[in-house]
Amino acid sequence: MRMRSLAGFVAAFAAALPAHAQDPAPAPAAAGQPQIEVAETLDLSIDRTERMTVPVNIGGRGPYSFIVDTGAERTVIARELADRLGLDAGRTATVHSMTETSRIDTVVIPALEVGQRTIAEIHAPALSRSNLGAEGMLGVDSLSSQRVDFDFLRQEMTVTPSQRAPERPWPRDTIVVTARSRYGHLMITDASFDGQPIIVIVDTGAQVTVGNEALRRRLQRARRLGVLRPVELVSVTGGRIGAEYGSAEHIQVGNAEIRNLPVAFADVHPFRQLRLTDRPAILLGMDALQLFDRVSIDFANRRVRLLVRDSSERAGKLRVAALDAAVRPAAAPPAAP
C-alpha cells in the first residue's frame, strides 16, 4: 500500500514555551496604540492548505499573510520574513509541534498589528516558511482575550473583546457549545465520534482532523473502525510522523452533525501536552470547520458558536460528504532490499 503525505498538515498546536520555567503572560499593547472596543472586521483568505490567513503589519511594514491558529499558544514567524525585516534575535524557546519537541531560536517582533490592535515585543519562534506555508501564524497569545468570528461566506474574520463589546447577532438556530479551557485551548466535551464520546479541540491551524490512539482503540473495540490507510504527517518544524487515515461516518458537536469526514489517527504531541492520551479526542481541523457558514470562538467566555449551512432547512443538523480533500499522493516507498 502506498504511503500518502499530508504536507503542511498542522500548525504548531501546543506551546512555544520560552526556555524559562515560568510562562510569561502575553505582552500588553504598545503605549498609545488603540485598543479594540468594538467589533473589527478583517479580510480573510484561504491559503493553499485550506487554512485561514489575515493581513498583519510588523513594525509598520506589511501587510503579511499570517495563518490564524487557534491551536497554537504562541505566535510564530517565517525565518525568511524575520531575516528580510532584520528582526533582532530573542531568547531560545521550546516549541511543541505536532510531531516533536524542539529548541528553536526566536526573534523579537517589536510591534505586531492585527487590524487596530498592536501587540508589543513578541518573542516569536522563527520557522521555515516552507513548513509553515505562510509568513507566520497568530496563536492564542494574540487572540486570548478576544472573540473571533470566522464568516466563511463573506470571507471575513471579526475580532472583538470578549468582555467589552456586544456580539454581532446570530440566527436563532445557531448551535452554541460551552467548552472547558486548558492551557488556553478550548475543549468541547458535548461531542461524539461514531457513537463514542470524545473531547474536541477546535484547531484552525490544522489542515485536516486528527484523532488520538485512545479513540482509535475505542472504535476498534466497538467494531466501528473502517479501512485505514498509511499516511505521513508533516509538522511546521519539518518533523514527520506515521499515522493511519480513515473516515468518520458521524461526528456530533453539540447539535451539529458532520458525516463522512476524513480523519488521521496518531498520538501526536498536542494530545500529550493537553493530557489527552487516555481519553478519546480529536483536533477538529479546517476540513471540518469550513463546512459551516460561520464559526465563533470566544476564548474568555469558553464558548463556541456554529452556524450550519441551510440550517433552517436541516433542523439544526449539518449533513456533509467531505471526501479526500487535503490528501495528496506521495512517492511510493522504496522496495525492500
Side-chain angles (χ1 to χ4, degrees), residues 116-152:
Q116 296 179 22
R117 188 183 186 210
T118 299
I119 306 171
E121 201 169 323
I122 299 175
H123 285 249
L127 302 173
S128 170
R129 194 191 188 287
S130 62
N131 292 325
L132 284 176
E135 299 290 1
M137 293 182 176
L138 292 178
V140 296
D141 58 340
S142 301
L143 302 168
S144 59
S145 63
Q146 308 297 311
R147 182 172 56 240
V148 185
D149 181 359
F150 302 104
D151 190 323
F152 293 104

Side-chain angles (χ1 to χ4, degrees), residues 4 32 36 39 51 62 92 111 113 117 134 155 185 213 227 231 254 260 267 269 288 299 304 309 314 336:
R4 290 171 176 258
I36 298 175
R51 294 171 295 176
T92 302
E113 303 161 17
R117 188 183 186 210
Q155 294 292 287
H185 303 290
E213 285 298 314
V227 176
V231 296
N260 303 324
D267 258 338
H269 189 74
F299 291 96
V304 176
R309 297 200 170 165
R314 302 191 190 231

Side-chain angles (χ1 to χ4, degrees), residues 190-246:
D190 181 12
S192 64
F193 186 117
D194 288 348
Q196 304 299 316
I198 59 170
I199 294 173
V200 172
I201 300 97
V202 177
D203 186 359
T204 61
Q207 184 182 350
V208 296
T209 296
V210 187
N212 65 1
E213 285 298 314
L215 174 60
R216 183 183 183 279
R217 292 191 298 269
R218 182 77 61 86
L219 293 170
Q220 195 167 30
R221 287 196 298 269
R223 298 185 178 181
R224 298 299 303 270
L225 195 63
V227 176
L228 299 179
R229 296 165 288 170
V231 296
E232 185 177 62
L233 312 185
V234 184
S235 76
V236 294
T237 57
R240 297 170 182 266
I241 186 173
E244 292 186 297
Y245 190 72

